[in-house]
Amino acid sequence: MAAPRTVDGMEAENTEISLTLSNSSSEDTKRPQFGTRFLTDPRQVFQHNAWDNVEWTDEQEEAAKKKVSENNQPLPLEKQDEYNSRASEYWNEFYTIHENRFFKDRHWLFTEFPELAPQRNPNHESQPNNSGVDSSHQDGFEQKQCRDFAALSGDNCDFPGSSATYRILEVGCGVGNTVFPILKTNNDPGLFVYCCDFSSTAVELVKTNPEYDLNRCFAFVHDLSNVKASFPIPDGSLDVIVLIFVLSALHPDQMQASISRLASLLKPGGVMLLRDYGRYDMAQLRFKKGRCLSENFYVRGDGTRVYFFTQ
């Protein structure tokens, strides 16, 4: 078994996995930069943090597995439940502390995921909950968001961006380091971008960003793990859904249902773009004892959680 490797190595010491899930038969086979990093001179090994033609030795892989197994004793169930029930608190605190100083715009976005760049869809013709909210009130909450949007933008439509011809949703948007590069780079007049996050603090930071434009973007609070929570957009209306370092924050038992719920928002032929942490990432190997929640699932010192995937 070869060890998973980063696709482009943009994050130092992070092994990352990027996937495009689609029910369309067409694939963009041109991926500049990626798949072209071949180590021919061993003296240049540190030029990049990942190489396309380098596989782990059996000894290296066994060493990584041993390191992970040393910290494979899960915390008590009551402690795990606490981290799960207070997840929104920990993420709110995270964004309150870091605001937008901690993050960098993801300039690799349009090479890694060309579906986000302008005019990449051949069939596209351009034309000019808060997690603390009880699910029984979620519909009213989302309806109020849509009314607020209509009042602010002058859009008298059924839902924000209903007149758009190409719709993108980023789940787990944080402070907007994917959303704003998309809005800045993709000047397609038919584009509308939705973004949501578990953290109300993060969403507020997006909304107060001077680049936030209600005519092209709509930010809202949403708990991805609550599959019964509604979205301010109807099923079958999205072309692209983006999850970057998001799925790893969910409990593994919640992942499949959450992805299935998101898939219902896609149009036929729509795509889901995922990028997340890879198994035996250095960040995983550095976890000390007392941080394991379950196999390959950990809690950081700030209370936020992370899972490490294989493809």
Side-chain angles (χ1 to χ4, degrees):
M1 180 180 92
R5 53 177 169 76
T6 177
V7 174
D8 67 352
M10 295 303 297
E11 302 276 342
E13 296 185 330
N14 281 350
T15 300
E16 299 164 4
I17 291 172
S18 299
L19 299 172
T20 300
L21 304 183
S22 172
N23 59 355
S24 173
S25 59
S26 64
E27 289 188 21
D28 189 334
T29 58
K30 295 182 180 179
R31 300 275 172 159
Q33 299 178 12
F34 310 120
T36 61
R37 287 181 175 174
F38 298 107
L39 179 63
T40 56
D41 184 351
R43 294 172 297 180
Q44 301 296 317
V45 66
F46 295 112
Q47 182 178 352
H48 301 295
N49 71 313
W51 297 92
D52 292 292
N53 63 328
V54 177
E55 298 289 344
W56 282 17
T57 64
D58 292 339
E59 291 78 10
Q60 288 173 318
E61 185 171 349
E62 285 305 313
K65 289 180 177 179
K66 180 179 179 182
K67 184 67 176 177
V68 168
S69 66
E70 290 174 356
N71 181 25
N72 202 28
Q73 297 77 37
L75 291 170
L77 286 177
E78 58 269 20
K79 200 66 179 175
Q80 295 187 42
D81 291 341
E82 176 187 342
Y83 286 121
N84 193 54
S85 62
R86 297 182 58 195
S88 62
E89 296 177 38
Y90 290 121
W91 280 110
N92 277 331
E93 184 176 352
F94 174 85
Y95 286 112
T96 298
I97 293 172
H98 296 293
E99 294 185 344
N100 59 2
R101 297 184 298 271
F102 182 75
F103 310 95
K104 295 180 181 179
D105 289 349
R106 292 153 172 164
H107 299 294
W108 45 261
L109 272 176
F110 307 104
T111 306
E112 183 79 13
F113 298 133
E115 295 85 356
L116 303 178
Q119 307 299 323
R120 289 297 187 129
N121 185 345
N123 298 321
H124 175 215
E125 297 180 3
S126 298
Q127 298 175 2
N129 154 34
N130 190 316
S131 59
V133 176
D134 182 73
S135 60
S136 63
H137 302 296
Q138 188 72 27
D139 289 341
F141 174 71
E142 301 293 6
Q143 289 171 8
K144 180 181 184 300
Q145 283 191 310
C146 291
R147 288 196 300 270
D148 291 345
F149 173 89
L152 290 169
S153 66
D155 191 348
N156 295 318
C157 54
D158 294 331
F159 64 95
S162 64
S163 60
T165 56
Y166 198 67
R167 303 188 189 95
I168 297 172
L169 166 66
E170 186 192 10
V171 182
C173 62
V175 299
N177 300 91
T178 292
V179 169
F180 293 123
I182 292 174
L183 292 173
K184 187 182 298 184
T185 302
N186 193 333
N187 58 3
D188 180 354
L191 172 72
F192 198 89
V193 180
Y194 307 88
C195 58
C196 64
D197 200 278
F198 194 31
S199 166
S200 57
T201 302
V203 172
E204 190 58 32
L205 287 167
V206 170
K207 289 182 175 181
T208 55
N209 189 305
E211 296 183 22
Y212 182 65
D213 182 358
L214 275 168
N215 293 309
R216 304 184 69 214
C217 183
F218 182 60
F220 58 100
V221 178
H222 187 83
D223 179 0
L224 179 60
S225 66
N226 181 4
V227 295
K228 294 183 179 180
S230 62
F231 286 86
I233 42 181
D235 288 356
S237 61
L238 297 175
D239 295 277
V240 179
I241 297 176
V242 186
L243 298 97
I244 298 177
F245 304 116
V246 173
L247 200 60
S248 54
L250 292 183
H251 190 287
D253 292 345
Q254 298 172 325
M255 292 178 185
Q256 182 60 62
S258 298
I259 288 293
S260 297
R261 174 66 186 99
L262 287 175
S264 67
L265 296 172
L266 287 170
K267 298 176 181 177
V271 294
M272 189 175 295
L273 311 176
L274 303 108
R275 184 180 181 90
D276 227 312
Y277 296 103
R279 189 70 50 83
Y280 308 133
D281 184 289
M282 282 300 297
Q284 180 180 15
L285 301 184
R286 286 175 178 154
F287 272 110
K288 307 298 183 183
K289 292 183 179 180
R291 288 292 169 187
C292 182
L293 297 172
S294 61
E295 190 172 5
N296 301 304
F297 189 44
Y298 304 83
V299 60
R300 301 184 181 97
D302 59 8
T304 61
R305 300 174 298 174
V306 59
Y307 184 86
F308 295 90
F309 294 90
T310 63
Q311 285 186 329

